[in-house]
Amino acid sequence: MSGIIQFVRHFMQEKPDPTPLSHLFKFNGGIHPPQHKVESTLKPIGKLQLPEKLTLPLRHHIGNFPNIKVQVGDYVLKGQMLVEAEDMISPAIHAPTSGIISAIDEQLIPHPSGLPELCITLTPDGKETWIKLQSTDWRNADKNQLLSNLRNSGIVDLGGATFPTHIKVPTNGSANVHTLIINAAESEPYITCDDMLMRERADEIIQGIYIMEYILGAKKSIIGIEDNKAEAIKAITNACSAADQSKIEVKVLPTLYPSGDARRLIYLLLGKEIPHDKRSTDEGIQVFNVATALATYRFFAFGEPSICRIVTMTGNVESPQNFEVLFGTPLESLVQAAGGAKLSTQHFIMGGSMMGFNIPNTQVPIIKATQCIIASSPDLFAEPPAAMPCIRCARCADVCPVNLQPQELYWFAKSNNFENARKYDLFDCIECGCCTYVCPSNIPLVQYYRYAKSEIIAEDQSANAANLARERNDFRLARIERDKIEHAQQHAARARQAKESKTVTINDDGTQSTTSSTFKEPTTIDNKAAFNAAIERSK
Ligand code: SF4
Ligand code: SF4
C-alpha cells in the first residue's frame, strides 16, 4: 500500500524548472522511450547481506593484465589491494571485505562476449575487518601525489565506460582543463542509481566535485541533470547552497535520450562539438559521472578505496530497488534482495533497455561497470517483429544524435562494404539504438553496425598480423643472407691462407726464386646488396 501512495506522490510532485532552452544547445535527434524509472525509486538505497563468495574479474578494459599481489590461501583485510594497476588503462582492485582468497581462475563474467575471464574469488570471514584507513589533506597536497593516490584507489568512471579516473586527469600541463562537467543526466530508461545517489548523498557529491576541481585545476563545474529527477535536483541544489556554490552550477536538462552521452552532454551544456579525433580535454573540458565524484570524496576523506557501487535492480522482479553492492557479489544475491524474479522472467540484462546486453546466468558478479540489472520478460521486452526491407524513410537519420546516415551505414554493413562504412564514420556511432528504436521496418540496425565494426577491427588486426609476419620473414631472409656472406668470407679467408703458401721456382740461370701466390677475393658485392635491401625492408 505504501508503495502505491509513494507512486501517486511521485506523480504529484512538481517538475523542476528546466534551465531556459536559450541557455542550452540542442543536439540533433534523440528519442523519448518509456522511462520505467519510477518503479526503482520508491524505496531508499538498500544494503545486501554479505554473500558467501565474491568474484572479482582482473581485467576491466583493454589494458594489460594487472599485477596480482595475493595468492590462493592468503588472508586479506577489507580494502586491501589485491591487484595493482599495471598500465594506464587497468584499475587497481581491492578486497571488498575481509576473508580468504579461495581461487584465482577463469570464471564467467558479465560481458557481451560471454567469455570467461581470470578472476580472484574471495570467501568472506564475516568480520568486515578494514585495513588501516588514512585520509588525505588534499588541499595542501602535491597534485602529482594526489594523482598517484588516485591510481591506487581503484576508482573508475562509474557512468558506464569505467575508464580509470586517473587516466582522465591530464598530467604535467598536457591539457588545461577549465570546465568540469558532472554527468548526472542518467538518460537511459530503467537506470536510477545516480538519481538515488543524488537524493541521499548530495553533500558528499559536492565535496567530491571540489576535490576533482582541485586536481584538474578547473575554474568551474556544471552539473547536468534531466528534469525527470525532481528530488535529486532539489537535494543537489540545496547541497550547493550549503557549501560554497560559487563555482558549481546546476543545469536542468529536458528529458531526452541520449543526453547522458558525454559528448552530447558537452554540446547541450556548452554548445561545443568535440571533433571525433580529439578528446574533450583538448578543448579544456572533462566529464565525470556523479557517482565518481562520491567515490573520489570517500577515498580522499576517509581513505576508502573503490569496493562497491549503487546498482539498480529492476524490471520483472517483485520489488525493484537500488542497492549498495560490493563488487564481486553474485547477481543472484541482488535478485533475491529485490524480492526475487517473477516466474515470467526470461533472462537478465546488464545496463539500460537501449544499450544493455544479456548476461549468461545469475552467478556472474556485479562489477564496476554494473549500473543496472533488468529482469526481462515478454511483457517488458516483446520479441521484435521480423525485419522488413528498408523503405528509405530517413527516420533513423532524423534521430541520430551523432548526425550519421544510419540507413547508408546499414547498406554498407549488409553488403560487407566496410570501406564505405568507415568513410561514413561508422566508428563515430555510439550504438545508442535511437535509429533501431524508430525504424518502421524493424531492422536491427545497431547489430549491423556492431557486426561491421568487429569485421573491420578483425581485418585491421589481420592486416597488422600479416605486416608483422612479412617483417619477420624479411628479417629471416636477411639473417640467412648475412649467414651466407659470413660463410663466404670465412671460406675465402681459409682459401687465401692456403694459397698464400710460397712457391719456389728454378730459373733458367739455375738460381731459385720464391714467389707468393696472390689470392683474388671473390666479390660479394651482389650478396651484400641483397643483405642490405632485406635489412631495409625489415625496418
Ligand atoms: S528508419 Fe529503417 S526503413 Fe527508414 S531509412 Fe532508416 S533503416 Fe530504412
Ligand atoms: S546507433 Fe549509431 S547510427 Fe544509430 S542513432 Fe545511435 S549513433 Fe546514430
Side-chain angles (χ1 to χ4, degrees), residues 296-343:
T296 304
Y297 168 70
R298 301 285 318 171
F299 177 68
F300 284 106
F302 305 105
E304 290 175 14
S306 175
I307 56 168
C308 62
R309 65 162 300 147
I310 311 300
V311 182
T312 307
M313 180 69 237
T314 186
N316 202 40
V317 287
E318 293 295 342
S319 183
Q321 192 179 351
N322 280 275
F323 295 94
E324 184 164 5
V325 188
L326 295 178
F327 296 136
T329 301
L331 168 57
E332 182 60 29
S333 304
L334 188 59
V335 175
Q336 290 313 321
K342 293 181 187 166
L343 278 180

Side-chain angles (χ1 to χ4, degrees), residues 242-278:
D244 170 17
Q245 62 162 347
S246 53
K247 288 199 292 181
I248 302 179
E249 189 180 356
V250 181
K251 283 200 177 183
V252 180
L253 316 169
T255 299
L256 178 71
Y257 174 79
S259 300
D261 173 69
R263 287 175 185 238
R264 278 359 88 194
L265 187 62
I266 291 173
Y267 189 78
L268 254 175
L269 295 172
L270 302 172
K272 266 220 174 299
E273 187 96 53
I274 307 295
H276 68 146
D277 55 346
K278 291 205 165 170

Side-chain angles (χ1 to χ4, degrees), residues 120-413:
I120 292 179
T121 304
L122 170 60
T123 304
D125 65 357
K127 295 181 183 162
E128 297 267 40
T129 315
W130 274 99
I131 50 163
K132 189 170 181 302
L133 296 175
Q134 201 171 6
S135 62
T136 308
D137 179 12
W138 56 272
R139 282 189 183 84
N140 297 310
D142 172 58
K143 285 194 188 171
N144 286 333
Q145 185 56 47
L146 292 181
L147 205 54
S148 155
N149 291 357
L150 205 53
R151 188 169 189 268
N152 291 329
S153 70
I155 299 173
V156 299
D157 199 32
L158 295 166
T162 64
F163 278 108
T165 304
H166 65 269
I167 70 167
K168 293 184 73 176
V169 179
T171 47
N172 298 330
S174 60
N176 189 11
V177 174
H178 49 72
T179 305
L180 166 63
I181 290 180
I182 296 297
N183 189 346
E186 201 170 53
S187 61
E188 191 163 0
Y190 286 91
I191 308 175
T192 58
C193 51
D194 290 348
D195 183 357
M196 293 307 295
L197 200 64
M198 287 186 281
R199 293 185 197 196
E200 296 190 14
R201 303 189 191 168
D203 293 334
E204 292 177 87
I205 290 168
I206 299 301
Q207 294 307 317
I209 294 172
Y210 283 138
I211 300 172
M212 285 175 154
E213 268 182 359
Y214 178 78
I215 296 175
L216 287 166
K219 305 274 179 295
K220 63 170 179 179
S221 298
I222 306 172
I223 308 175
I225 315 180
E226 281 195 344
D227 61 5
N228 57 2
K229 302 175 185 57
E231 284 190 41
I233 292 166
K234 200 168 155 195
I236 284 284
T237 311
N238 288 344
C240 282
S241 309
D244 170 17
Q245 62 162 347
S246 53
K247 288 199 292 181
I248 302 179
E249 189 180 356
V250 181
K251 283 200 177 183
V252 180
L253 316 169
T255 299
L256 178 71
Y257 174 79
S259 300
D261 173 69
R263 287 175 185 238
R264 278 359 88 194
L265 187 62
I266 291 173
Y267 189 78
L268 254 175
L269 295 172
L270 302 172
K272 266 220 174 299
E273 187 96 53
I274 307 295
H276 68 146
D277 55 346
K278 291 205 165 170
R279 295 177 185 176
S280 63
T281 46
D282 297 332
E283 300 288 337
I285 303 159
Q286 187 53 290
V287 183
F288 281 111
N289 174 265
V290 71
T292 313
L294 180 85
T296 304
Y297 168 70
R298 301 285 318 171
F299 177 68
F300 284 106
F302 305 105
E304 290 175 14
S306 175
I307 56 168
C308 62
R309 65 162 300 147
I310 311 300
V311 182
T312 307
M313 180 69 237
T314 186
N316 202 40
V317 287
E318 293 295 342
S319 183
Q321 192 179 351
N322 280 275
F323 295 94
E324 184 164 5
V325 188
L326 295 178
F327 296 136
T329 301
L331 168 57
E332 182 60 29
S333 304
L334 188 59
V335 175
Q336 290 313 321
K342 293 181 187 166
L343 278 180
S344 53
T345 301
Q346 287 177 318
H347 60 270
F348 293 88
I349 297 169
M350 180 168 132
S353 57
M354 298 300 295
M355 297 180 75
F357 58 88
N358 291 351
I359 42 184
N361 61 40
T362 53
Q363 290 312 305
V364 294
I366 299 303
I367 58 174
K368 298 192 186 206
T370 314
Q371 295 166 283
C372 175
I373 301 286
I374 308 173
S376 171
S377 71
D379 286 347
L380 290 176
F381 299 97
E383 196 61 31
M388 307 282 282
C390 170
I391 55 171
R392 295 272 185 191
C393 66
R395 285 192 209 172
C396 48
D398 291 344
V399 296
C400 178
V402 190
N403 295 312
L404 299 176
Q405 294 294 318
Q407 73 278 34
E408 302 298 342
L409 290 174
Y410 159 64
W411 288 111
F412 295 141

